[in-house]
Amino acid sequence: MSAFHREKVLSVQHWTDTLFSFKATRDTSFRFQNGQFAMIGLEVEGKPLLRAYSMASANHEEELEFFSIKVPDGPLTSRLQKIKEGDTILVARKAVGTLVTDSLLPGKRLLMLSTGTGLAPFASLIKDPDVYERYEHVVLVHGCRQVSELAYGERLVERLQNDELFGELMKDKFTYYPTVTREPFRNRGRITDLIESGQIFKDMGQGPLDIETDRIMLCGSPAMLEDLKNMFEERDFIEGSGNKPGHFVIEKAFVER
């Protein structure tokens, strides 16, 4: 177990029947870049049971925060959804991941495209002052099936926009675009379709997709990632990595279990 920090759960919030978030202590030696993930989990019968989770907290915050799905028969999430204040979780000592700004070529507009709990790394990134220094426009898109599933993101954005520091940073630069597929809502449809049709850019009052200025981060369901990756590559966008920056980056370590 020496590869892990043992952290104490500080609070748990259940947003819907299928979504919850929780905060835990953070060891002072645990370092990460905003947008990265770590293996976290529980000790079960003396062994670590782990999954990859993006930090929803920013690297300048003293506590760790995670946003998780609940899967009734999921090996980890069936247990993790029952945690309560005072319980212990395991957090790997090393953070990794591709959703970092250094993996992107310089640009003017950053599009963060997420579905479900794929919002988590962007919850970290929109709390990073450096993101607003690098880009003229920062767009957070969150797609869910039902309106209730937007609650975590809506609350986060509202809190930041009312924050003394971030409210000022975000005022002329940040756009939040939630969209729902299965219920009436002001924005309707899958992210792929909204980009394909250009509807999303019309709704935001912004220009269309432009390879010269747009940089994109993706985190969500495997189907969404595959569809968007194909769409961008058809438009000559190049996937970036830590070794070679590109026009878009994908987080493939998505928690569904």
Side-chain angles (χ1 to χ4, degrees), residues 87-149:
D87 286 352
T88 298
I89 62 166
L90 303 175
V91 179
R93 294 177 182 273
K94 185 173 171 57
V96 290
T98 52
L99 289 188
V100 293
T101 50
D102 288 344
S103 295
L104 292 170
L105 294 163
K108 293 185 178 178
R109 179 169 64 178
L110 177 62
L111 300 169
M112 302 175 175
L113 309 180
S114 66
T115 58
T117 53
L119 178 73
F122 303 135
S124 174
L125 280 156
I126 64 172
K127 289 182 276 191
D128 185 345
D130 180 59
V131 167
Y132 302 97
E133 288 286 318
R134 287 181 184 239
Y135 295 96
E136 294 175 15
H137 298 286
V138 176
V139 177
L140 174 61
V141 181
H142 187 206
C144 290
R145 290 167 301 177
Q146 295 166 321
V147 176
S148 61
E149 296 169 345

Side-chain angles (χ1 to χ4, degrees), residues 25 33 54-55 72 74 90 119 128 145 156 175 208 220 230 251:
T25 54
Q33 289 177 265
S54 298
M55 272 66 73
L90 303 175
L119 178 73
D128 185 345
R145 290 167 301 177
L156 168 68
T175 302
N230 292 338
E251 186 51 78

Side-chain angles (χ1 to χ4, degrees), residues 51-72:
R51 290 286 180 268
Y53 272 81
S54 298
M55 272 66 73
S57 45
N59 59 9
H60 55 77
E61 295 182 290
E62 291 182 3
E63 299 171 354
L64 292 173
E65 183 171 2
F66 301 97
F67 182 40
S68 179
I69 193 169
K70 304 176 190 178
V71 182

Side-chain angles (χ1 to χ4, degrees), residues 135-181:
Y135 295 96
E136 294 175 15
H137 298 286
V138 176
V139 177
L140 174 61
V141 181
H142 187 206
C144 290
R145 290 167 301 177
Q146 295 166 321
V147 176
S148 61
E149 296 169 345
L150 296 170
Y152 176 82
E154 287 178 328
R155 186 80 56 87
L156 168 68
V157 169
E158 182 183 4
R159 193 171 70 241
L160 284 178
Q161 289 176 328
N162 290 326
D163 181 84
E164 196 173 334
L165 167 65
F166 283 101
E168 200 59 36
L169 283 175
M170 297 166 82
K171 191 166 61 178
D172 301 316
K173 290 194 166 193
F174 179 80
T175 302
Y176 170 55
Y177 189 96
T179 179
V180 167
T181 56

Side-chain angles (χ1 to χ4, degrees), residues 19-37:
L19 297 169
F20 72 108
S21 63
F22 57 98
K23 292 184 179 180
T25 54
R26 175 183 174 182
D27 191 281
T28 52
S29 68
F30 182 63
R31 299 274 186 269
F32 64 93
Q33 289 177 265
N34 294 315
Q36 287 188 316
F37 69 87

Side-chain angles (χ1 to χ4, degrees), residues 184-223:
F185 190 63
R186 65 181 183 273
N187 304 318
R188 286 290 304 272
R190 294 169 66 243
I191 295 172
T192 322
D193 298 335
L194 291 164
I195 293 175
E196 191 86 65
S197 67
Q199 184 63 45
I200 190 169
F201 303 111
K202 290 179 196 162
D203 289 344
M204 295 189 298
Q206 296 184 12
L209 200 62
D210 184 348
I211 194 169
E212 297 300 321
T213 55
D214 283 330
R215 301 298 171 255
I216 306 158
M217 292 179 162
L218 309 174
C219 189
S221 69

